Structure formats: structure tokens, C-alpha cells
Amino acid sequence: MGAVADAAITDATRRLIEKEPTVVFVLGGPGSGKGTQCANIVQHFGYTHLSAGDLLRAEIKSGSENGTMIQNMIKEGKIVPSEVTIKLLQNAMLESANNKFLIDGFPRNEENRAAFEAVTKIEPAFVLFFECSEEEMERRLLGRNQGREDDNIETIRKRFKVFMESSIPVVEYYESKGKVCKIDAAKPIEEVFEAVKAVFTTQDAVVVA
């Protein structure tokens, strides 16, 4: 059975490599405005937005055993196993007609990052990192009314703590490779997007070249 699984992974990876996708990791704490800005990037620059959180929540809604496991881990503020999220992301990229992807909220930690690159054989073109204080993110999350089960004060603080401990090392890793573009996400949405546009205009020119 292991050989079959390995063959399936190899085939999916081969097909993904043949697509020659451009991947941008979008990172930022909960409530930093990643989703809003990703929607703007999709509209202006033609990327496909893949939210790791949305893919995981869709899996939860499916009622599968996998979905129940994901739901329990999120409630506890834990990080979902890499292979689960990578499989969802890989399938989404293969099913898309596009070859430019914003991967939002992943990798969440160094193990995620290493596993993603090992499985998909893809390195991001760059990493867009939205910087925002814990106080501002907390204010935004409590103020939004999306009916999210994980939007209560205790869970928000757990999520922020997990983000700082786990995701900042990923940012630092890519920073050491000169691949991080930092955005001040505490500013108004329009100002944030002006900064984002400047990054994508420059980076898209580099990718095309």
C-alpha cells in the first residue's frame, strides 16, 4: 500500500512540476487582513487564491473522519499535520486552470515549509508577510462577525501565540534567502493594497524576466 501511495504522490508532484506554477506564500497573524488583500491581488494580478484555512474548513464541513480530526486540532489551537494540508493544496493547484497561486496561511511552521518543498518540489517566488500588532489583530477579529467558531478571545490569543512561535521562523528562513516582502498591515486597507501593488508589480516583472 505504501508503494501505491508513493506512486500517487510522485505522479501528482510530476504533474504539478509540469504546470511550472508561480507560488507566493502569504503569511500574517490571524486578523492581519491577508484574505482581504488576497482578493485584491486576485482581481488585479490574476492569481488564484488558495487559503489553507478555507480548504481545511471545507474538509471539516464534508463530515469526513479527516475533517473531524482537523476540527478538534483547530479548537485546541494546534497545527494540522503537514501532509493533510499539503494534499489539499496540491489537489487545488492541479485542479486549477491557472498557474499563479497565492497560498494563504501556509506554511505555518518550519516542518510545514520543509514538507511542502519536499513533496511538491516547489519553492515560493517570494513570501508576502503582513506585519500587525497583537492588539490590532485582536480588535479586528472580535469586531468581525463571520460566525467563525475559532473567533473568541481565548482561542484568538492561542492562535496568535502559535503563530509567533511557529510561523516567525518560516519568515526568518525565507528572509535569509532574500524572499520576504514585508507589509505594514496596521494601515487602512487601501494604503496596505498600494504597498502590495508595488510589491507585485516589481516581483511579477522579475518572474516574467
Side-chain angles (χ1 to χ4, degrees), residues 38-176:
C38 282
N40 289 334
I41 295 163
V42 167
Q43 187 178 348
H44 285 78
F45 295 99
Y47 279 73
T48 293
H49 176 209
L50 299 178
S51 162
D54 286 351
L55 290 171
L56 290 166
R57 280 187 285 275
E59 189 71 11
I60 289 169
K61 273 191 176 179
S62 74
S64 68
E65 187 179 335
N66 203 32
T68 302
M69 178 270 292
I70 293 167
Q71 185 176 37
N72 290 336
M73 294 197 80
I74 289 174
K75 273 185 183 173
E76 293 167 20
K78 292 181 182 174
I79 289 176
V80 175
S82 296
E83 60 270 19
V84 173
T85 310
I86 291 168
K87 186 178 177 184
L88 294 173
L89 288 167
Q90 191 170 42
N91 288 343
M93 285 191 280
L94 286 170
E95 287 166 9
S96 173
N98 201 356
N99 71 340
K100 299 198 313 185
F101 300 97
L102 299 173
I103 295 185
D104 170 7
F106 189 91
R108 299 279 297 275
N109 58 23
E110 269 291 281
E111 194 268 330
N112 278 177
R113 178 200 64 74
F116 181 88
E117 292 186 6
V119 171
T120 65
K121 311 301 179 193
I122 293 169
E123 279 195 33
F126 63 98
V127 176
L128 194 64
F129 177 45
F130 289 97
E131 292 188 294
C132 197
S133 71
E134 181 176 10
E135 292 75 23
E136 176 64 15
M137 286 192 256
E138 199 173 284
R139 185 186 67 75
R140 291 178 180 181
L141 287 170
L142 291 173
R144 75 186 187 184
N145 185 22
Q146 294 184 357
R148 286 265 299 272
E149 192 176 326
D150 54 351
D151 278 353
N152 63 68
I153 191 72
E154 188 182 338
T155 311
I156 286 168
R157 285 175 179 166
K158 269 190 197 172
R159 287 168 64 203
F160 189 82
K161 184 171 183 287
V162 168
F163 172 75
M164 291 302 293
E165 290 174 353
S166 304
S167 298
I168 293 303
V170 176
V171 174
E172 290 171 346
Y173 170 83
Y174 285 118
E175 203 163 19
S176 74

